């Protein structure tokens, strides 16, 4: 893989297009999600190998609860299977596993496997793989506001001490850096309530390629495009 030196430190991905991939093949949406899970495996492995530090994947949004019950059940069971099946891969590749989102509202079986992966990988030093699960960015911001308000109420914090830095520390993962590159597959030009606070200065890269068809070569193209952009963070 031909890669530039200035790799994005943190890549975030909106994995879209599983349903369309399946429809194109006259398969059920479930088959699209299954194939999508295989893409997750390949892309995680690639990021670990090339030295990306953080990879954050939008795996299940709060809005996804509006889908048909059977599809939700399938996604939860796929997620649970994935968490168990990929454990060896996380161990072998020195990957740290984390999540963001309202994890306490997920099924108990899924929560158990999440906790196990977090525990087993806590001492690793390679890629941080972060799955956004039952995640919504506005909810995350509201949850942070609640935490800050509680601190003010307890007299641990004064209102004029609330800064961007303090606010960011109350988001779901205080150790998370802002994404440098946000990739969206499936062609839609929107951010769909994903990391609204954190993507303030991220470079956006949208591809019509559907997530099940997304290959390491596509990732490499996104990274090369990113590396050629000049990031100014509002300066000159
Ligand atoms: C979007 O496709 C995909 C999702 C609902 C979330 C991503 C889920 C996966 C990649 C599968 C499993 C993930 C893990 C981590 C095991 P869509 O159904 O919205 O596609 P469409 O826009 O074509 O309908």
């Amino acid at each position: 893989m031909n890669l530039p030196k200035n790799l994005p430190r943190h890549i975030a991905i909106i994995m879209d297009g599983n349903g369309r991939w399946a429809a194109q093949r006259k398969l059920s949406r479930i088959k699209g999600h299954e194939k999508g899970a295989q893409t997750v495996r390949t892309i995680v492995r690639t990021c670990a190998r090339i030295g990306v530090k953080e990879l954050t994947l939008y795996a299940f949004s709060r809005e996804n609860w509006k889908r048909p019950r059977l599809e939700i059940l399938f996604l939860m069971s796929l997620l649970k299977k994935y968490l168990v099946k990929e454990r060896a891969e996380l161990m072998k590749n020195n990957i740290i596993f984390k999540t963001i989102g309202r994890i306490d509202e997920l099924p108990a079986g899924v929560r158990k496997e999440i906790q196990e992966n977090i525990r087993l990988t806590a001492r690793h030093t390679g890629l941080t793989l972060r799955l956004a699960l039952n995640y919504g960015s506005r909810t995350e911001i509201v949850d942070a506001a609640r935490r800050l308000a509680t601190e003010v109420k307890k007299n641990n914090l004064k209102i004029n001490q609330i800064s961007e830095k303090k606010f960011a520390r109350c988001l779901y993962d205080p150790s998370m850096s802002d994404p440098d590159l946000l990739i969206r597959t499936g062609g839609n030009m929107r951010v769909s309530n994903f990391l609204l606070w954190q993507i303030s200065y991220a470079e956006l890269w949208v591809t019509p390629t559907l997530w099940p068809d997304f290959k390491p070569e596509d990732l490499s193209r996104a990274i090369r495009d990113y590396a050629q952009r000049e990031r100014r963070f509002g300066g000159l």
Side-chain angles (χ1 to χ4, degrees):
M1 212 183 250
N2 186 12
L3 287 170
K5 278 203 200 78
N6 56 333
L7 282 182
R9 179 197 147 82
H10 182 178
I11 300 178
I13 309 184
I14 300 175
M15 311 180 285
D16 198 15
N18 294 348
R20 278 165 285 166
W21 182 92
Q24 282 174 359
R25 288 160 181 78
K26 305 213 175 348
L27 298 169
S28 72
R29 298 178 55 80
I30 281 174
K31 290 284 170 210
H33 295 315
E34 259 170 8
K35 187 78 169 65
Q38 286 173 26
T39 304
V40 171
R41 157 181 271 204
T42 319
I43 295 304
V44 169
R45 192 184 286 173
T46 306
C47 284
R49 186 170 62 77
I50 65 180
V52 170
K53 294 283 171 221
E54 297 174 57
L55 174 66
T56 303
L57 302 176
Y58 206 1
F60 193 86
S61 72
R62 287 179 61 72
E63 288 73 26
N64 286 154
W65 294 111
K66 292 182 210 147
R67 295 195 174 203
R69 195 173 148 266
L70 265 182
E71 185 172 341
I72 296 173
L73 281 174
F74 178 80
L75 279 168
M76 288 300 146
S77 106
L78 182 64
L79 177 62
K80 194 171 152 209
K81 259 198 274 175
Y82 171 87
L83 292 166
V84 176
K85 204 168 139 206
E86 296 309 299
R87 207 161 270 157
E89 185 84 6
L90 298 175
M91 301 312 285
K92 194 172 82 191
N93 292 300
N94 194 23
I95 297 170
I96 303 158
F97 179 84
K98 289 188 175 178
T99 58
I100 48 173
R102 287 220 180 144
I103 303 305
D104 54 333
E105 294 170 0
L106 291 172
V110 173
R111 283 197 325 258
K112 178 172 161 274
E113 304 307 341
I114 289 174
Q115 292 316 332
E116 186 66 357
N117 284 6
I118 293 175
R119 187 181 70 76
L120 286 168
T121 65
R123 288 171 191 274
H124 287 173
T125 55
L127 171 75
T128 295
L129 165 64
R130 197 178 288 107
L131 293 189
L133 294 169
N134 191 21
Y135 177 86
S137 187
R138 288 185 172 180
T139 305
E140 176 177 37
I141 290 169
V142 168
D143 286 350
R146 286 183 184 168
R147 287 179 64 185
L148 283 169
T150 310
E151 290 307 301
V152 171
K153 198 174 171 192
K154 286 202 235 150
N155 281 326
N156 293 337
L157 184 69
K158 292 193 173 57
I159 288 179
N160 62 10
Q161 287 175 325
I162 298 176
S163 60
E164 289 185 15
K165 211 170 163 182
K166 283 230 164 64
F167 196 94
R169 268 198 230 125
C170 290
L171 295 171
Y172 291 137
D173 181 356
S175 74
M176 169 169 166
S177 71
D178 286 348
D180 301 295
L181 172 62
L182 172 66
I183 296 175
R184 180 170 188 139
T185 63
N188 288 317
M189 297 282 184
R190 51 177 178 254
V191 289
S192 302
N193 203 14
F194 190 43
L195 308 176
L196 300 181
W197 173 282
Q198 298 91 331
I199 60 169
S200 296
Y201 292 99
E203 295 293 328
L204 309 183
W205 196 85
V206 178
T207 173
T209 301
L210 305 174
W211 178 249
D213 288 328
F214 191 79
K215 301 272 174 319
E217 297 74 56
D218 300 298
L219 179 70
S220 154
R221 206 151 51 84
I223 291 176
R224 276 184 276 123
D225 279 359
Y226 162 87
Q228 276 167 12
R229 296 189 195 171
E230 189 192 351
R231 300 184 79 198
R232 295 205 297 249
F233 300 95
L236 290 178

